[in-house]
Amino acid sequence: MATHEQVTVGVVGAEQIVHRIMNLARELDNPGLRLVTAVYADEHDAQEQASRIASRVDSFLFAGPLPYDVAVAGGLPVPATYVPSGGPALFSTLLRGVLEKVFDPSRISVDTVSRRDLKHVYEEVGLSASGVRLKEYTGPESAEKFLDFHRSLYQRGRTTGAVTTVPTVDVALRKTGVPTLRMTPSSMTIRQALTTAILMGSGAKLEESRIVTMIVRVPAASLPAHASASAYWYQELRLSLHRELLRDARPMDAAVVPRDEHSFLIVTTMGSLRLATDNLSMAPFLDRISEELGVRLEVGIGLGSSTREAEVNAQSAVDKAAGGDTAFVVGPHGFVLQVPGERNRTAERPAQADSRALQILATLAEQLENANDTERIVDAEKVAELLGVTLRTARRTLSTLVDEGLAWPMPPPRSSKLGRPPRPYQLLVEKIPR
């Protein structure tokens, strides 16, 4: 599949699956596709890791349903999907179990897959599933019970081993001596999920170009009793308001036109509005202009499939904002969103990376660029050489960069040499502030 525009997909998962997705993405031969990765050690850190890269992606692809649900519960600003479990993956896992003599596939415990998938797979291979114990995935709370489910059945002699989709459960079961195989998605399943994420990202970019209409109104309550709209002081106020609206509208490429004696119409695109309002987390115009002119304003934002529908919804939104210190967004199908002014904004910004770590990353990036190294992949020995430090300090530096989300560890390359091969790290130079 090819796209005619740049689409950036955020890949969130454990190290092994993220590396595999990146390798398969190269096979798509899609010059418009860019991947940004976020690696976690525990599935419950998915939302935190996703938030690190959220501002730079058009869509997310999560390694499975558990990290997807964890991240969605915390809120995501762009569409997301995940690599599904089951299907071909269960076939290959059962085959591995038999060939490697890990367990008897007729007496195992399995998690995550649906009962229907389990039944179909066992029918296909001609085995009875009557001795198989299944724990379906219904949400993050059910995944927390997977470990006890597998371990208890094995310790009571009910099963000969376990099949899990959750990396942390896999590790914990092995530590307790339970014969375990982790079910990993097939290449075909990953490609399909990646294609879905690309399509969702493309759709999101189209959504960003949709026309948005805003109404900024001076409420009657802000005017003196019996004041005339034709009074000189009010004409001065209108001129000042128009000037200040133009000033704030310019960065979002918006048009500002008078609508009536008390309001102005502002037209822009959803992408520009999101950028100017930090993804609709704070109301445009509300605080700065109100403070500058000494008059309270009402702001309504309308979305719609046509300019007319957007304006009608903007009128509804500004009516909802009457008398309050927040703006409202009204869209099709009953969509309503309340957006606070910046003074009342309570949402916390994502934690910024440590300034010292950013400085180190910038130094490494500069030296690699001087050496015409565009891949930005280093190991401890390379970092020690570039920074002029000991190998031990270089390893500690790389660990800090990973902790700050400024680099991610890659699987060691295959080597015929004795000893452990050096671990490479991908430097995320795009996180350096411009």
Side-chain angles (χ1 to χ4, degrees):
M1 174 191 171
T3 59
H4 298 291
E5 60 180 343
Q6 182 86 26
V7 175
T8 303
V9 177
V11 180
V12 185
E15 178 184 321
Q16 186 178 14
I17 185 70
V18 167
H19 186 67
R20 190 171 167 211
I21 291 172
M22 292 191 71
N23 285 336
L24 290 171
R26 295 189 184 100
E27 298 176 7
L28 293 179
D29 192 25
N30 184 345
L33 173 63
R34 178 172 176 262
L35 298 185
V36 178
T37 60
V39 176
Y40 56 68
D42 187 289
E43 296 80 14
H44 290 85
D45 294 332
Q47 205 284 328
E48 178 184 352
Q49 293 301 322
S51 69
R52 293 176 182 269
I53 62 172
S55 62
R56 296 183 286 120
V57 303
D58 302 310
S59 62
F60 277 112
L61 176 60
F62 289 89
L66 173 56
Y68 169 84
D69 284 344
V70 169
V72 168
L76 293 174
V78 296
T81 186
Y82 60 87
V83 181
S85 305
L90 185 53
F91 275 112
S92 60
T93 306
L94 293 178
L95 181 60
R96 283 173 53 211
V98 172
L99 294 178
E100 298 173 15
K101 298 180 180 178
V102 178
F103 48 57
D104 174 4
S106 64
R107 294 180 59 243
I108 58 173
S109 55
V110 181
D111 66 46
T112 303
V113 302
S114 69
R115 192 165 299 278
R116 184 179 65 177
D117 275 358
L118 182 73
K119 179 183 177 183
H120 286 171
V121 168
Y122 271 77
E123 286 177 350
E124 286 287 333
V125 297
L127 290 175
S128 170
S130 60
V132 177
R133 299 293 176 262
L134 173 65
K135 186 81 168 176
E136 294 184 76
Y137 175 83
T138 57
E141 65 284 347
S142 66
E144 294 172 1
K145 302 173 184 175
F146 285 170
L147 176 60
D148 288 339
F149 164 73
H150 292 295
R151 183 170 52 194
S152 175
L153 286 169
Y154 180 76
Q155 291 175 347
R156 287 185 287 138
R158 302 285 298 277
T159 59
T160 60
V163 172
T164 182
T165 64
V166 183
T168 51
V169 173
D170 175 40
V171 172
L173 286 172
R174 292 175 186 273
K175 286 182 178 179
T176 58
V178 180
T180 307
L181 286 180
R182 180 152 64 92
M183 181 167 57
T184 57
S186 66
S187 297
M188 179 182 69
T189 300
I190 292 177
R191 288 192 193 96
Q192 290 174 343
L194 185 56
T195 299
T196 299
I198 294 170
L199 291 172
M200 293 174 75
S202 297
K205 296 194 79 165
L206 288 174
E207 174 74 8
E208 295 296 273
S209 64
R210 185 173 60 169
I211 296 297
V212 173
T213 297
M214 293 176 277
I215 294 175
V216 176
R217 183 172 67 188
V218 179
S222 295
L223 305 177
H226 310 297
S228 169
S230 61
Y232 175 76
W233 73 268
Y234 186 72
Q235 294 302 316
E236 283 291 316
L237 174 63
R238 277 181 45 110
L239 288 172
S240 298
L241 175 56
H242 196 175
R243 182 174 58 249
E244 295 301 326
L245 287 173
L246 286 170
R247 175 181 168 184
D248 280 11
R250 190 174 295 115
M252 63 177 87
D253 295 321
V256 180
V257 294
R259 181 169 178 263
D260 55 34
E261 289 294 333
H262 298 287
S263 64
F264 286 83
L265 203 64
I266 297 96
V267 181
T268 186
T269 63
M270 176 60 82
S272 296
L273 179 65
R274 286 187 184 278
L275 195 61
T277 61
D278 198 4
N279 202 32
L280 290 179
S281 63
M282 59 181 181
F285 312 120
L286 197 60
D287 287 343
R288 191 196 69 78
I289 297 180
S290 294
E291 186 172 339
E292 179 74 22
L293 301 181
V295 60
R296 187 167 56 83
L297 298 176
E298 296 169 344
V299 177
I301 303 169
L303 314 179
S305 55
S306 66
T307 305
R308 174 59 184 161
E309 183 184 12
E311 186 173 349
V312 170
N313 286 335
Q315 180 63 58
S316 176
V318 79
D319 289 341
K320 290 180 182 295
D325 293 321
T326 59
F328 276 81
V329 182
V330 173
H333 313 299
F335 174 80
V336 177
L337 174 68
Q338 190 171 3
V339 184
E342 189 160 12
R343 285 195 300 266
N344 300 324
R345 187 182 179 198
T346 56
E348 294 184 359
R349 295 179 182 270
Q352 298 295 313
D354 179 74
S355 58
R356 172 63 179 161
L358 282 168
Q359 184 179 354
I360 292 172
L361 177 63
T363 301
L364 290 172
E366 182 180 0
Q367 297 204 35
L368 290 171
E369 186 174 350
N370 292 338
N372 294 322
D373 186 340
T374 58
E375 290 190 349
R376 277 94 176 194
I377 297 176
V378 297
D379 56 23
E381 188 174 336
K382 185 69 174 178
V383 169
E385 175 191 339
L386 294 173
L387 298 181
V389 297
T390 65
L391 201 57
R392 182 176 180 181
T393 300
R395 292 194 184 99
R396 193 162 56 241
T397 298
L398 284 168
S399 178
T400 299
L401 292 177
V402 171
D403 290 343
E404 293 293 332
L406 302 176
W408 66 274
M410 300 170 64
R414 295 183 180 274
S415 174
S416 58
K417 298 180 181 179
L418 294 175
R420 179 182 296 179
R423 176 180 283 274
Y425 292 79
Q426 176 72 63
L427 298 180
L428 304 181
V429 297
E430 61 271 20
K431 294 195 174 186
I432 301 173
R434 300 299 177 188

